[in-house]
Amino acid sequence: MGLPSHEPILQLVRTDADYAAAFKQVFGKTGDQITMTEVTRAIASFERSLLFGDSPFDRYYFGHDPKAMSEAAMRGLDVFLGQGRCVSCHVIEQTQALLTDDRFHNIGIGLNRIQEDVPRLAREFLKAKAAGANVDETVLSDAKASELGRFAVTGEFRDIGAFKTPTLRNVAATAPYMHDGSLRTLQDVVTHYNLGGFSPGDPSVNAFLSGGIRPLNLNSAQIDDLVAFLEALTSPHFAAAPPTPP
Ligand code: HEC
C-alpha cells in the first residue's frame, strides 16, 4: 500500500478504538504488545475467508449441471464469450476460471478525465521519478498522477491509464466498480463497455484506449443477460458471509 514501513500500520491498530478493541478480544494484547506478528495473523485469517468457487457458473460450466444457472445467465455467458469479448481479458479456461488475464489494460476509466493533461503529467512524473521521488507516494497522494496507471511503474507510454484486470468472482457483491469506484452498478459497467470505453455523457477522447475496447452493439436484453451472468459468479461462502473490515 505504499507505506514506507510497518510503523504506520502498528500506530493505527494500537490507537484506533475499533482495531484496539478487536486486537484485545482476539489476541488479548494492547498497545506495544501488538506487533506485526498479530497483524500478519489477522490479515492471514482474513485472506483465508476469501473462498472462491462453487458459484452457479462453476456448477453449470465445470460441474455440467444445466439447472445451476438461470436462462438469462446462460444467455449472458454466450455474450461474455462471443459478442461482448469479455473473455479475452476476463479469462475462462478449460478446467478453471480466474476471470482475469493478470495483465494491464486501459479500458477508458479515469484517464478520460485527464486526457488533455496527459503529456504534461507523464513528463512531470518521469522527471520526479528520475529525481528520486517515491512512486507509491506520488500516485497515492496525487489523484491526477494516479490515473497514469501502470505507466507509473514501467514508464512505457502504452501503459498510460492501464490497470490490472480484476477477477470477476463475487463481483456482484463488491460495488462500486473500477480502480476509482467511478461506476456504481454492473449495469453501468456493461453500458461503459457497450459504448466502447465511454461512460454515458462523457464525450472525451482517450488516445490510449486498449485495442480490445470497441463498441459492442449489445441491445438492452443482452445487457441484462450479461449482468445476470456476472451475478452468477458469486460463491455461496461469499454470499453467506461477506468479509467485512474490522
Ligand atoms: C481489454 C481487456 C478487457 C476486456 C475486453 C473487458 N475487460 Fe472488464 N476489466 C478490464 C480491466 C483492466 C478492468 C479494471 C479497470 C480499472 O479498474 O480501471 C476491468 C474491470 C471490470 C469490472 C469491474 C470489476 C471491479 O471489481 O471493479 C467488471 C464488472 C468487468 N470488467 C466486466 C467486463 C465485461 C462484462 C466485459 C465484456 C463486455 C469486460 N469486462 C471486458 C479489462 C477488460
Side-chain angles (χ1 to χ4, degrees):
M1 294 189 181
L3 295 171
S5 71
H6 291 152
E7 274 319 304
I9 305 174
L10 292 174
Q11 174 79 15
L12 185 72
V13 297
R14 286 169 182 166
T15 57
D16 176 88
D18 290 340
Y19 277 124
F23 274 76
K24 180 148 195 287
Q25 188 191 352
V26 173
F27 299 109
K29 297 193 172 176
T30 57
D32 288 357
Q33 293 172 320
I34 302 173
T35 67
M36 282 310 290
T37 306
E38 287 74 34
V39 172
T40 307
R41 287 178 59 195
I43 293 174
S45 294
F46 166 68
E47 289 178 347
R48 277 191 294 273
S49 77
L50 298 176
L51 297 172
F52 293 166
D54 200 30
S55 66
F57 159 70
D58 292 298
R59 278 178 272 132
Y60 173 80
Y61 197 79
F62 299 115
H64 308 291
D65 173 358
K67 292 202 167 51
M69 270 199 327
S70 68
E71 296 275 336
M74 287 190 237
R75 291 192 302 268
L77 172 59
D78 282 344
V79 178
F80 192 89
L81 300 172
Q83 194 174 334
R85 288 180 286 104
C86 315
V87 74
S88 62
C89 297
H90 299 283
V91 178
I92 296 174
E93 290 178 82
Q94 215 125 76
T95 55
Q96 40 110 356
L98 291 176
L99 293 149
T100 171
D101 57 0
D102 278 328
R103 296 177 62 185
F104 299 81
H105 310 272
N106 179 328
I107 65 161
I109 300 290
L111 196 80
N112 292 12
R113 287 198 296 273
I114 60 160
Q115 183 66 16
E116 58 294 341
D117 240 2
V118 165
R120 182 187 64 80
L121 281 171
R123 212 167 38 237
E124 282 177 10
F125 184 87
L126 287 181
K127 225 159 112 191
K129 194 172 164 181
N134 180 313
V135 170
D136 291 328
E137 269 175 33
T138 310
V139 298
L140 287 174
S141 56
D142 179 343
K144 281 190 161 185
S146 74
E147 298 299 1
L148 294 171
R150 181 72 176 155
F151 171 83
V153 177
T154 63
E156 302 262 2
F157 282 95
R158 63 157 190 269
D159 287 335
I160 286 184
F163 289 84
K164 195 170 189 178
T165 311
T167 180
L168 298 181
R169 288 187 172 276
N170 300 326
V171 76
T174 60
Y177 301 109
M178 306 304 176
H179 68 270
D180 57 358
S182 60
L183 299 184
R184 222 168 34 80
T185 64
L186 289 175
Q187 202 88 24
D188 292 346
V189 170
V190 174
T191 301
H192 173 90
Y193 282 113
N194 197 34
L195 293 172
F198 292 97
S199 295
D202 172 7
S204 48
V205 180
N206 177 349
F208 301 93
L209 200 63
S210 156
I213 302 297
R214 270 166 282 144
L216 300 173
N217 296 313
L218 304 177
N219 61 36
S220 65
Q222 288 175 303
I223 291 177
D224 290 346
D225 290 343
L226 196 44
V227 170
F229 170 68
L230 294 172
E231 287 168 347
L233 296 171
T234 306
S235 308
H237 333 75
F238 198 86
T244 45

